[in-house]
Structure formats: C-alpha cells, structure tokens
C-alpha cells in the first residue's frame, strides 16, 4: 500500500514544481546553483511538465487496475480490513491538500496570482 502513497506524492511533487512553482523558475534556480542550465534545457522543462507526471499516473492506474484485495497465503482479508488499509494508506496523502489550503489561505494577498509571484 505504500506504493500508492509514494506514487501520489511523487506525482504531486513534480506537478506542483513544474506547474505551480514553474519549470522555468526551477531551471533558473538550477542555473543559479550550478552556474549553467542543465542540458538540454527544453527536455527537462517538458519532462517535468508532461512526461514524468504522465508516467507516474499511468503506473498508478495500472497498479490500481491490477489490485484485487489483500491476502495472506490462502486467506483473503475481509472488506473492512482492506478499507482500513486504504484509509491508513491515504492518511499521509490527504494532508497535502489540507496543509496547502491552510498555507494559501493564511498568505497575504487577494488571489493565487499574487501568491505565486
């Protein structure tokens, strides 16, 4: 079950970095730290924006489609145990949008555009 949390967190991180913080701004930060842009610059920009999130979402979907409940040897766990496992799994993931919403609401400014710049 940790697979789902890791995939969701990874996809969230790369998507937020690329689309909200901005891939161009991240590349500028890398240039500041390294002294040069990573080569080739356009590849990294589109890998962070499109390729990586797409691959991670596809892995997540195919893993979810292949899921058929938890078992131990010949014993299949009951539905309530699977539901409890899913709640524990997503307890770490659900905090991301909750904390993000709280942080954004507590920021100064009137809109997300002001918060972003």
């Amino acid at each position: 079950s940790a697979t789902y949390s890791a995939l969701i967190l990874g996809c969230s991180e790369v998507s937020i970095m690329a689309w909200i913080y901005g891939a161009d701004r991240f590349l500028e930060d890398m240039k500041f730290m390294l002294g040069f842009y990573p080569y080739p610059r356009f590849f990294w920009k589109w890998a962070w924006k499109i390729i990586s999130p797409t691959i991670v979402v596809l892995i997540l979907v195919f893993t979810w489609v292949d899921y058929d409940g938890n078992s131990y040897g010949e014993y299949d766990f009951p539905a309530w145990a699977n539901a409890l496992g899913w709640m524990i799994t997503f307890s770490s993931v659900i905090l991301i949008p909750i904390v993000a919403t709280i942080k954004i609401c507590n920021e100064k400014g009137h809109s997300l555009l002001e918060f972003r710049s």
Side-chain angles (χ1 to χ4, degrees):
S1 291
T3 303
Y4 297 103
S5 296
L7 288 171
I8 292 170
L9 291 173
C11 188
S12 299
E13 287 176 3
V14 75
S15 297
I16 289 169
M17 180 277 297
W19 292 100
I20 294 176
Y21 183 72
D24 289 324
R25 190 187 308 183
F26 191 72
L27 283 165
E28 289 297 324
D29 292 343
M30 289 185 71
K31 181 183 179 209
F32 177 74
M33 291 184 285
L34 300 173
F36 58 89
Y37 287 112
Y39 180 79
R41 184 176 178 195
F42 68 92
F43 167 77
W44 290 107
K45 180 178 178 178
W46 292 108
W48 290 325
K49 283 189 166 195
I50 305 293
I51 298 168
S52 295
T54 302
I55 290 172
V56 173
V57 167
L58 288 174
I59 292 170
L60 183 63
V61 167
F62 288 123
T63 304
W64 205 336
V65 167
D66 193 40
Y67 179 77
D68 54 350
N70 289 331
S71 61
Y72 182 75
E74 296 294 320
Y75 178 74
D76 290 330
F77 287 101
W80 67 266
N82 282 320
L84 181 63
W86 282 108
M87 289 188 331
I88 292 169
T89 296
F90 288 116
S91 66
S92 61
V93 176
I94 194 65
L95 291 175
I96 294 172
I98 292 171
V99 171
T101 303
I102 292 169
K103 293 284 188 180
I104 290 171
C105 289
N106 290 335
E107 281 294 318
K108 295 178 180 164
H110 296 84
S111 70
L112 286 176
L113 294 175
E114 290 179 13
F115 173 70
R116 186 174 179 194
S117 57

